């Protein structure tokens, strides 16, 4: 276990979609500058929990949360919290690469622009820094004006990562970021995630257990809305304490 | 044996019905071709020098009025229709109110244009105490256009992937920023296609304008004082449109010299213009489809 301080704390959290309880009494502490992976079969609630961390669940009608989620000690569901500021601090990368129908440059500059940065040279600098951060600068620096929808899936996903980095978050949430990508692009994104954890705290949802083993420091296993087990990744995969976890990671269901 | 004859019969029916559909489809094309060709040939034959001029003998003024009226109406109908469409797609929650609005828009779009024309006469002429004028006509066309622009915008926005919304909101953008900077730009091509069709309809509208635009056109092309009733750009002057002119030339105005020729040529221009508007809309949407396939 590392000594990094806890960045995200989930405390006795329940989540309901209408009458359906999607998450049950979740307790979880995610340290700074580490990668935490959420694994579990489809419908286990891992994506739902991820989307609660930047309140994307607010967009779902009938979604209700009890308990607490704290980031840097601040309850993010507190009435005083500005949800747009929260989402600026907690960036997100989605399952399907979702660049906007505009140029690569405008995609990356989109976040800073809506947060009020208009100065051209400042934007140029942010775009370059973010694209470098996403390991894409050398590939696209000569075609920043090209539409982002026209590049390959792997590049699109890295544009989305650059777009998220451009608003300078401290936390990056990744919702199965490689499930729509080929193996080469997948490994590029994985390498990138490992580099990014130097500066960011990363939470990743993945269907791919090998991926969790390769890149994460800690893994949480979810089943039917409950967090079954949470441990340092090597421990969880080598000596799972819960029989359900063992069944899942050895491929007996899921 | 029996099974075989059933099979043969169903094949026969299939051939027969395919033939029927071909005939029905073919006659639609034939009808359009015959009609358009007839009107165009009549129009070309009716040509006389000065018909395109901006005097009483020509139809230049009417053509200008028509274009100006469509532009005036679009200035109002596009923002209103797009705002309403955006509301329905992005803000409205499922419920009674939304249902009522949607139903009203559908009802509005199916009202006979003569009824809207009368309503316009009541509101924009009688209630304002104004004389017949272009702006009143433009407002009537606006009422006719808003439902279509609204539903085009709503459908274009709904067709956008949700990823655009989550992607933008996930960066800390507000709902309005998301709509303004991401969603509207992404659906502009489709909305423009709808606007072109609406413009085409406004171009040929006659019944709705009978009571509002007036049937005289006295324009002084050297007078650019907007307040003057003979200034071409004064929206509050009477201004007969081309489609109305056709009607006039075949009724009260049929005593005018060249009235038959004027009606023929005006009809030709209207038909060609509407065809061009429709083709432009088609081409544009074909390009959008191609672009969306990633070509």
């Amino acid at each position: 276990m590392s000594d990094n301080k806890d960045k995200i704390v989930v405390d006795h959290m329940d989540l309901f979609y209408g009458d359906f309880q999607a998450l049950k009494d979740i307790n979880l502490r995610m340290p700074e500058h580490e990668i935490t992976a959420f694994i579990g079969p489809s419908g286990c609630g891992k994506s739902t929990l991820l989307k609660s961390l930047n309140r994307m669940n607010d967009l779902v009608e009938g979604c209700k949360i009890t308990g607490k989620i704290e980031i840097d000690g601040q309850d993010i569901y507190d009435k005083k919290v500005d949800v747009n500021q929260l989402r600026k601090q907690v960036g997100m990368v989605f399952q399907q690469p979702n660049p906007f129908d505009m140029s690569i440059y405008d995609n990356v500059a989109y976040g800073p622009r809506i947060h009020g940065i208009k100065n051209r040279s400042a934007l140029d600098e942010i775009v370059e820094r973010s694209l470098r951060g996403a390991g894409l600068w050398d590939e696209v620096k000569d075609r920043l004006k090209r539409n982002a929808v026209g590049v390959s899936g792997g590049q699109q996903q890295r544009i989305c990562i650059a777009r998220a980095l451009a608003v300078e978050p401290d936390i990056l949430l990744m919702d199965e970021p490689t499930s729509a990508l080929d193996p080469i692009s997948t490994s590029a994104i994985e390498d990138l995630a490992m580099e990014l954890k130097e500066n960011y705290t990363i939470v990743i949802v993945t269907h791919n257990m090998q991926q969790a083993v390769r890149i994460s420091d800690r893994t949480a296993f979810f089943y039917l809305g409950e967090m079954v087990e949470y441990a340092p990744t090597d421990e969880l995969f080598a000596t799972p304490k819960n029989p359900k976890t063992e069944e899942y990671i050895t491929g007996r269901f899921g | 044996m029996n099974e075989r004859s059933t099979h043969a019969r169903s094949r026969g029916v299939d051939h027969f019905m395919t033939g029927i559909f071909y005939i029905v489809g073919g006659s639609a094309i034939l009808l359009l071709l015959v009609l358009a060709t007839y009107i165009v040939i009549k129009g070309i034959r009716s040509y006389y020098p000065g018909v395109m001029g901006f005097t009483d003998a020509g139809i230049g003024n009417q053509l200008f009025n028509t274009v100006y009226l469509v532009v005036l109406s679009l200035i109002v109908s596009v923002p209103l229709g797009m705002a309403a469409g955006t509301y329905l797609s992005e803000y409205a929650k499922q419920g009674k109110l939304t249902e009522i609005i949607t139903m009203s828009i559908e009802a509005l779009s199916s009202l006979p244009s003569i009824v809207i024309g009368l309503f316009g006469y009541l509101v924009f002429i009688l209630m304002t105490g104004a004389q017949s004028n272009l702006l009143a006509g433009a407002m009537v066309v606006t009422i006719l256009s808003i439902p279509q622009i609204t539903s085009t915008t709503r459908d274009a926005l709904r067709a956008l992937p949700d990823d655009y919304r989550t992607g933008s909101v996930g960066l800390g953008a507000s709902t309005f920023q998301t709509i303004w900077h991401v969603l509207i730009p992404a659906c502009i091509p489709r909305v423009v296609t709808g606007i072109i069709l609406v413009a085409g309809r406004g171009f040929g509208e006659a019944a709705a304008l009978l009571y509002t635009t007036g049937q005289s056109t006295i324009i002084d092309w050297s007078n650019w004082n907007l307040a003057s009733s003979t200034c071409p750009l004064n929206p509050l002057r009477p201004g007969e449109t081309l489609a109305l002119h056709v009607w006039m030339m075949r009724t009260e105005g049929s005593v005018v010299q060249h009235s038959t020729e004027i009606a023929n040529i005006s009809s030709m221009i209207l038909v060609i213009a509407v065809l061009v508007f429709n083709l432009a809309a088609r081409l544009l949407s074909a390009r959008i489809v191609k672009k969306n396939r990633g070509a």
Side-chain angles (χ1 to χ4, degrees):
Chain A
M1 284 271 177
S2 71
D3 303 321
N4 289 352
K5 78 175 175 64
D6 293 332
K7 183 77 178 171
I8 310 170
V9 177
V10 182
D11 185 20
H12 293 292
M13 181 237 194
D14 297 292
L15 185 144
F16 303 83
Y17 290 129
D19 294 333
F20 173 71
Q21 185 164 8
L23 289 171
K24 296 167 196 157
D25 194 30
I26 306 294
N27 294 284
L28 193 61
R29 293 168 171 272
M30 290 168 259
E32 218 171 14
H33 302 306
E34 288 193 9
I35 299 181
T36 305
F38 292 174
I39 63 168
S42 299
C44 67
K46 59 192 191 299
S47 270
T48 300
L49 177 60
L50 190 78
K51 285 175 193 147
S52 309
L53 302 181
N54 66 344
R55 290 183 55 176
M56 289 298 275
N57 278 331
D58 289 13
L59 305 181
V60 181
E61 253 176 90
C63 176
K64 227 178 54 213
I65 284 177
T66 61
K68 247 201 306 204
I69 298 179
E70 288 181 351
I71 290 177
D72 294 331
Q74 162 75 51
D75 180 0
I76 62 169
Y77 282 87
D78 191 282
K79 279 196 184 68
K80 284 178 295 189
V81 169
D82 175 352
V83 67
N84 294 332
Q85 280 304 313
L86 169 74
R87 291 183 186 139
K88 182 173 178 290
Q89 188 198 354
V90 187
M92 190 160 201
V93 177
F94 300 84
Q95 186 171 1
Q96 276 295 330
N98 60 347
F100 304 132
D101 186 6
M102 44 177 97
S103 72
I104 296 173
Y105 183 98
D106 288 339
N107 260 281
V108 181
Y110 178 78
R113 277 183 177 140
I114 56 165
H115 292 294
I117 299 177
K118 297 226 164 62
N119 182 294
R120 182 74 199 195
S121 60
L123 284 173
D124 285 349
E125 200 188 301
I126 293 171
V127 169
E128 178 171 346
R129 178 166 19 99
S130 309
L131 283 168
R132 278 189 196 283
L136 197 61
W137 175 251
D138 292 326
E139 285 168 60
V140 300
K141 65 180 175 202
D142 300 319
R143 42 184 181 145
L144 294 174
K145 295 275 165 259
R146 270 199 39 191
N147 194 302
V149 179
V151 303
S152 77
Q155 288 176 328
Q156 286 188 19
Q157 193 61 300
R158 280 185 287 159
I159 289 173
C160 295
I161 293 176
R163 188 175 68 184
L165 298 182
V167 294
E168 295 175 354
D170 340 317
I171 299 171
L172 214 48
L173 308 177
M174 301 177 136
D175 189 4
E176 300 188 37
T178 61
S179 65
L181 304 182
D182 61 86
I184 293 172
S185 308
T186 297
S187 107
I189 302 276
E190 288 180 4
D191 291 346
L192 178 60
M194 307 233 271
E195 279 169 36
L196 290 173
K197 78 169 180 178
E198 299 298 322
N199 297 309
Y200 305 89
T201 303
I202 296 177
V203 186
I204 184 169
V205 164
T206 179
H207 255 119
N208 180 337
M209 279 177 278
Q210 267 62 49
Q211 183 167 66
V213 173
R214 279 193 299 266
I215 69 173
S216 71
D217 300 293
R218 290 159 190 259
T219 299
F221 169 62
F222 292 84
Y223 185 63
L224 297 176
E226 289 180 65
M227 195 182 73
V228 177
E229 193 164 345
Y230 177 47
T233 300
D234 38 11
E235 246 172 66
L236 184 124
F237 281 92
T239 53
K241 293 196 177 61
N242 191 296
K244 208 77 206 169
T245 313
E246 187 180 358
E247 276 179 45
Y248 182 72
I249 61 177
T250 52
R252 258 173 279 168
F253 78 101
Chain B
M1 185 67 209
N2 194 14
E3 193 178 307
R4 192 177 214 159
S5 74
T6 316
H7 190 69
R9 204 172 61 205
S10 83
R11 254 200 0 211
V13 171
D14 191 27
H15 279 301
F16 178 72
M17 288 311 291
T18 310
I20 297 265
F21 288 128
Y22 267 110
I23 292 168
V24 173
S27 8
I29 299 170
L30 201 68
L31 195 63
L32 177 68
L33 272 180
V34 168
L35 212 69
T37 319
Y38 176 79
I39 292 170
V40 169
I41 289 176
K42 274 278 239 196
I44 293 172
R45 280 207 185 141
S46 304
Y47 181 81
Y48 62 90
V51 67
M52 296 312 291
F54 291 85
T55 63
D56 280 350
I59 54 170
N61 285 335
Q62 281 78 11
L63 192 56
F64 171 77
N65 285 342
T66 311
V67 174
Y68 192 34
L69 179 128
V70 169
V71 170
L72 283 176
S73 109
L74 289 180
I75 289 174
V76 182
S77 62
V78 169
L80 283 182
M82 284 183 71
T86 306
Y87 169 76
L88 285 176
S89 165
E90 302 302 314
Y91 288 98
K93 295 220 161 65
Q94 294 274 330
K96 270 259 150 44
L97 180 69
T98 310
E99 248 172 69
I100 291 171
I101 295 174
T102 308
M103 266 176 56
S104 313
I105 289 166
E106 273 160 23
L108 194 61
S109 68
S110 52
L111 278 183
S113 56
I114 189 87
V115 174
I116 308 237
L118 273 171
F119 171 79
Y121 175 64
L122 177 73
V123 174
F124 301 122
I125 303 292
L126 290 185
M127 284 170 74
T128 62
Q131 58 165 345
S132 298
N133 65 75
L134 262 176
L135 188 62
M139 289 308 105
V140 171
V141 173
T142 297
I143 298 176
L144 285 170
S145 313
I146 283 179
Q148 193 175 352
I149 298 178
T150 301
S151 51
T152 307
T153 308
R154 179 196 58 195
D155 297 344
L157 283 169
R158 282 190 185 161
L160 293 176
D162 245 349
D163 294 347
Y164 283 4
R165 296 179 183 88
T166 48
S168 172
V169 170
L171 289 166
S174 65
T175 309
F176 179 73
Q177 284 172 321
T178 302
I179 292 170
W180 189 252
H181 296 292
V182 178
L183 303 183
I184 297 273
C187 72
I188 279 292
R190 275 188 71 170
V191 172
V192 169
T193 308
I195 291 172
I196 293 174
L197 289 174
V198 162
R201 188 184 167 189
F203 204 83
E205 186 57 56
L209 301 176
L210 271 176
Y211 310 99
T212 38
T213 55
Q215 274 134 29
S216 66
T217 295
I218 304 153
I219 302 181
D220 176 358
W221 284 92
S222 60
N223 179 357
W224 295 103
N225 172 10
L226 261 187
S228 157
S229 70
T230 60
C231 170
L233 289 179
N234 180 356
L236 294 175
R237 67 173 167 82
E240 186 190 30
T241 65
L242 208 53
L244 267 186
H245 199 47
V246 174
W247 181 73
M248 272 294 283
M249 287 297 111
R250 303 322 289 143
T251 52
E252 296 159 51
S254 56
V255 292
V256 174
Q257 199 198 358
H258 293 313
S259 67
T260 309
E261 286 82 359
I262 289 177
N264 287 343
I265 293 172
S266 302
S267 306
M268 175 182 75
I269 293 175
L270 284 172
V271 166
I272 292 176
V274 170
L275 283 179
V276 167
F277 278 115
N278 277 282
L279 280 177
R282 284 268 152 177
L283 283 177
L284 191 67
S285 42
R287 270 189 49 188
I288 300 165
V289 172
K290 221 167 113 187
K291 195 183 151 207
N292 286 353
R293 286 207 194 105

